[in-house]
Amino acid sequence: MSDKRELVEKATGWCLSIFVYGTAIFYFVTKCLKLSGDDLDAYVSLLSAGATLFAGFIAIYLFTDWKEQHNKVLFSHEAKDLWLNINDIENILIDLKLSLEKSSSMQLAFSDLSSYHKKYAELNSKIEIFENNLSKFIALTKDLNLYAPYNQYTDSHLKYSNYYKVNFNSFKAVSTVKSEEKPLRESLQAPFIILKDQLHDYIIIK
């Protein structure tokens, strides 16, 4: 935006300079050569044409600048929503971790750990919203840098989801599930660091 403003200011300065110097030179030449009124009319017409072209130039740049700013504001709002989605998911993942840690010393089967299963259902709901929003955001911004962490995230989520489906009704001890689940959960969280860093660039409008 600052570059465009600087360009417009320079263009305006040059046009004003040309107008002032051109008028001075024309006035001097008119007095010395005693040109007719037709010549003056021609000069006024030339100035009018120049002003019209300059106005069009300014309008194009101002419209382009407005459009870019509008898109930046739109992307900023979308990025903030995604940031909040990630925070929600991270909080649920922490709750899942705590649920396993608190119950690991008990002689419970994973299938009996109702608190974990409730949180997992909530996690799936949040993840569905997040994935839909993120895919739309990537389509809007056409930011290729988001594809790698997005693909890493979806791959990790698939592995985590498959593990849960296989062990949902199992009689595995919670302590066993805790050690098996930990790397899968951490793998799911890893892409969030990259995603939040990239979303930050959209949230802060420059």
Side-chain angles (χ1 to χ4, degrees), residues 14-31:
W14 276 106
C15 287
L16 287 175
S17 298
I18 292 171
F19 171 76
V20 171
Y21 284 111
T23 301
I25 291 171
F26 184 80
Y27 179 79
F28 175 76
V29 171
T30 301
K31 288 296 182 180

Side-chain angles (χ1 to χ4, degrees), residues 18 92 105 129 137:
I18 292 171
I92 295 174
S105 60
I129 295 171
F137 186 77

Side-chain angles (χ1 to χ4, degrees), residues 105-153:
S105 60
M106 304 177 188
Q107 299 300 313
L108 290 174
F110 184 52
S111 58
D112 295 327
L113 196 57
S114 60
S115 60
Y116 186 95
H117 301 309
K118 288 179 181 178
K119 278 295 175 183
Y120 184 83
E122 185 181 348
L123 175 69
N124 264 349
S125 176
K126 295 290 184 181
I127 281 178
E128 183 178 356
I129 295 171
F130 171 69
E131 288 183 351
N132 286 336
N133 289 344
L134 182 57
S135 62
K136 290 176 183 177
F137 186 77
I138 293 174
L140 279 173
T141 61
K142 299 179 181 178
D143 188 347
L144 300 180
N145 293 323
L146 291 169
Y147 278 108
Y150 174 72
N151 290 334
Q152 182 185 352
Y153 165 79

Side-chain angles (χ1 to χ4, degrees), residues 147-169:
Y147 278 108
Y150 174 72
N151 290 334
Q152 182 185 352
Y153 165 79
T154 53
D155 182 59
S156 298
H157 175 230
L158 180 62
K159 292 177 181 177
Y160 190 80
S161 177
N162 286 340
Y163 176 83
Y164 180 82
K165 289 176 182 177
V166 169
N167 294 281
F168 172 68
N169 289 317

Side-chain angles (χ1 to χ4, degrees), residues 47-134:
L47 286 178
S48 178
T52 302
L53 290 174
F54 179 68
F57 165 78
I58 295 297
I60 291 172
Y61 266 87
L62 288 178
F63 174 76
T64 303
D65 187 59
W66 173 85
K67 184 178 179 181
E68 289 183 359
Q69 282 301 111
H70 172 75
N71 288 341
K72 285 181 178 180
V73 171
L74 174 64
F75 293 158
S76 176
H77 289 316
E78 295 291 336
K80 286 177 184 176
D81 288 341
L82 285 169
W83 186 287
L84 293 175
N85 289 157
I86 291 175
N87 283 344
D88 289 341
I89 293 172
E90 287 180 325
N91 289 333
I92 295 174
L93 289 173
I94 292 173
D95 290 338
L96 290 172
K97 173 187 175 183
L98 293 175
S99 177
L100 289 176
E101 288 179 348
K102 290 177 181 178
S103 306
S104 60
S105 60
M106 304 177 188
Q107 299 300 313
L108 290 174
F110 184 52
S111 58
D112 295 327
L113 196 57
S114 60
S115 60
Y116 186 95
H117 301 309
K118 288 179 181 178
K119 278 295 175 183
Y120 184 83
E122 185 181 348
L123 175 69
N124 264 349
S125 176
K126 295 290 184 181
I127 281 178
E128 183 178 356
I129 295 171
F130 171 69
E131 288 183 351
N132 286 336
N133 289 344
L134 182 57

